[in-house]
Amino acid sequence: MEISLLTCAPGADLYSIFGHTAIRVRDARRGMDIVYNYGTFDDTDPLFYVHFTKGIMNYSLSAETYDSFMTEYEYEHRPVMGQVLNLDCAEKNQLYEALRKNTLEENRYYQYHFHTDNCTTRAARIIESNTKDSLWYENILPTPGTSYRDMIHEYLNPQHQYWSKFGIDMCLGMNLDIKPSNIQAIHFLPAYLFRGMDHAIEGNKRLVVEKQRLLSFPETKIPGNPFTPVVAFTILLMLGIVFYFFKNKKPLLIFDIGFFSLIGLFGLLITALWLGRVDDVCRNNINIGWALPTHLIVVFFIRKKSAWIKYYFLITGILASVLLIGFPWWPQRMNAAVCPLLAIIIFRSICLFLKRNYAEKNIIQGS
């Protein structure tokens, strides 16, 4: 019997962008070649996206033939590496029985958590718990102080997934900036588990006895998209400035209503994820300081002459200024594309405050 850890390259879709991990059990004598996959989920559930938003994701361990498992990766042109584990007969049998037991209907389901309990975490733990001696891992963290967010960016940047990166950075809060330990990093993402296993020691032997390139494709360079969030929001800032100098103020009014509605929706999403998710990955999100959900209400009063409106925009401008000044030092690393958004908020909030302040003075002087 031969047991291997399979590490699959990232895919194009967001759910597959961080790659995948599975365990292969092969026994040529018995004609058996099975892949145990902890990443199985049912996306046909009509409430799937509701549960996904709330962080209630039922993943499961499934068993399928090796050929069936590889078909998807061959179709998607995603390379797959295998690491043959250096286990003795007793350890192989114990690990195989543990996997078989975990595929039973009463055992196969688990609550998926993004960075603390996923398919990589499960595969690593079941291997670790079925070796005679504890595993020792060399340090595989690239630099001291690497955070979970840094690890995610390592996947997103080479693939030019700048919009996905913006969305993730916007929705995932301060807890993603925690610096994981070496073992937490190994349990988090497939590439880190691959590196960890590659240098793992069990007793006095290396855990990986052989590396196999099971599926490979010519490396293709992913073209970069020049229309990044930074570019898009900088253009938006320039539009706001241009509209400011128009004699006809209607385009500027439409700009204000549209812009503050948009960031109000951002804020509503952040709030819903913060309060609604069962895990803590979206909590303590500093982005709520600029994406205020209250903007969705205030846009209906932009043309009103109520006195409180000017103070609302004064506070909004001050909050955005504080966030922009302290941008490099906040405990949560915010996306660079937030900077032009903050600039727009500051610019338009100050203008709206001064406009109402000036109008009030004229009314007082006129009376």
Side-chain angles (χ1 to χ4, degrees):
M1 184 187 294
E2 179 183 275
I3 299 183
S4 308
L5 180 74
L6 303 184
T7 303
C8 311
D13 297 318
L14 186 58
Y15 75 89
S16 64
I17 205 166
F18 302 113
H20 188 49
T21 299
I23 298 173
R24 179 188 185 187
V25 179
R26 183 173 65 165
D27 191 335
R29 186 169 52 86
R30 288 192 278 177
M32 179 179 70
D33 200 351
I34 302 173
V35 174
Y36 291 90
N37 178 8
Y38 280 99
T40 307
F41 61 92
D42 180 15
D43 59 357
T44 62
D45 178 0
L47 296 177
F48 174 79
Y49 288 104
V50 175
H51 293 154
F52 178 82
T53 303
K54 294 175 68 176
I56 304 172
M57 290 178 284
N58 284 319
Y59 273 54
S60 64
L61 172 63
S62 63
E64 60 183 306
T65 65
Y66 172 75
D67 289 340
S68 172
F69 177 83
M70 295 294 280
T71 298
E72 177 185 350
Y73 294 93
E74 189 169 6
Y75 176 77
E76 295 180 359
H77 283 66
R78 293 169 61 185
V80 179
M81 290 290 296
Q83 292 168 296
V84 180
L85 303 182
N86 188 14
L87 305 173
D88 62 31
C89 289
E91 288 174 321
K92 290 176 185 177
N93 287 326
Q94 184 176 321
L95 178 53
Y96 173 54
E97 287 302 319
L99 288 166
R100 283 206 322 138
K101 184 178 180 181
N102 276 328
T103 57
L104 297 176
E105 191 65 20
E106 62 268 27
N107 299 329
R108 60 191 296 254
Y109 297 97
Y110 71 98
Q111 281 294 309
Y112 174 97
H113 293 294
F114 177 63
H115 66 305
T116 57
D117 198 354
N118 55 46
C119 59
T120 299
T121 315
R122 291 274 164 160
R125 285 177 180 166
I126 200 165
I127 292 171
E128 292 164 357
S129 61
N130 287 282
T131 55
K132 289 178 182 176
D133 298 306
S134 298
L135 297 186
W136 177 84
Y137 295 107
E138 286 185 12
N139 180 49
I140 50 87
L141 287 169
T143 54
T146 298
S147 68
Y148 284 112
R149 197 182 303 273
D150 294 326
M151 295 167 67
I152 289 173
H153 288 177
E154 283 182 30
Y155 280 79
L156 299 174
N157 289 337
Q159 299 184 65
H160 309 294
Q161 293 280 349
Y162 301 120
W163 284 99
S164 297
K165 180 180 173 181
F166 172 74
I168 289 170
D169 284 345
M170 187 188 76
C171 294
L172 303 187
M174 203 183 300
N175 292 332
L176 204 67
D177 294 278
I178 293 171
K179 279 67 175 177
S181 66
N182 189 53
I183 191 68
Q184 287 173 323
I186 288 170
H187 284 187
F188 177 35
L189 293 173
Y192 279 79
L193 178 59
F194 179 87
R195 282 180 242 163
M197 288 290 178
D198 214 29
H199 300 284
I201 303 293
E202 185 208 352
N204 58 359
K205 65 179 183 183
R206 285 197 171 273
L207 182 63
V208 173
V209 69
E210 181 187 352
K211 282 191 289 187
Q212 304 168 331
R213 192 174 293 277
L214 301 171
L215 201 56
S216 61
F217 299 95
E219 189 174 347
T220 55
K221 190 174 182 181
I222 302 172
N225 180 3
F227 193 67
T228 65
V230 172
V231 171
F233 299 145
T234 301
I235 292 171
L236 198 62
L237 171 61
M238 301 304 294
L239 275 175
I241 294 171
V242 169
F243 289 156
Y244 175 76
F245 290 102
F246 279 15
K247 288 185 178 180
N248 182 354
K249 296 303 178 183
K250 189 173 181 180
L252 189 59
L253 176 64
I254 295 171
F255 178 90
D256 286 340
I257 292 172
F259 175 73
F260 283 105
S261 295
L262 179 65
I263 61 173
L265 286 171
F266 282 174
L268 194 62
L269 175 62
I270 291 169
T271 304
L273 291 172
W274 186 332
L275 299 177
R277 283 185 68 93
V278 298
D279 58 12
D280 64 357
V281 75
C282 294
R283 294 175 194 164
N284 306 324
N285 193 337
I286 291 179
N287 286 304
I288 199 68
W290 61 269
L292 298 170
T294 49
H295 291 331
L296 288 171
I297 299 171
V298 170
V299 291
F300 292 101
F301 296 89
I302 279 184
R303 299 181 67 181
K304 306 291 183 182
K305 296 180 180 179
S306 305
W308 64 270
I309 290 289
K310 76 169 187 178
Y311 295 110
Y312 178 87
F313 283 112
L314 176 63
I315 293 169
T316 298
I318 291 171
L319 276 173
S321 300
V322 170
L323 285 171
L324 187 59
I325 292 167
F327 193 85
W329 300 286
W330 294 115
Q332 177 179 330
R333 182 176 168 190
M334 290 189 288
N335 194 281
V338 171
C339 288
L341 288 175
L342 290 173
I344 298 171
I345 293 169
I346 294 166
F347 169 59
R348 290 310 305 146
S349 294
I350 290 172
C351 288
L352 289 166
F353 169 75
L354 292 176
K355 178 182 176 182
R356 277 156 181 75
N357 204 42
Y358 179 74
E360 286 179 9
K361 285 182 179 179
N362 282 345
I363 291 170
I364 293 170
Q365 289 173 359
S367 61

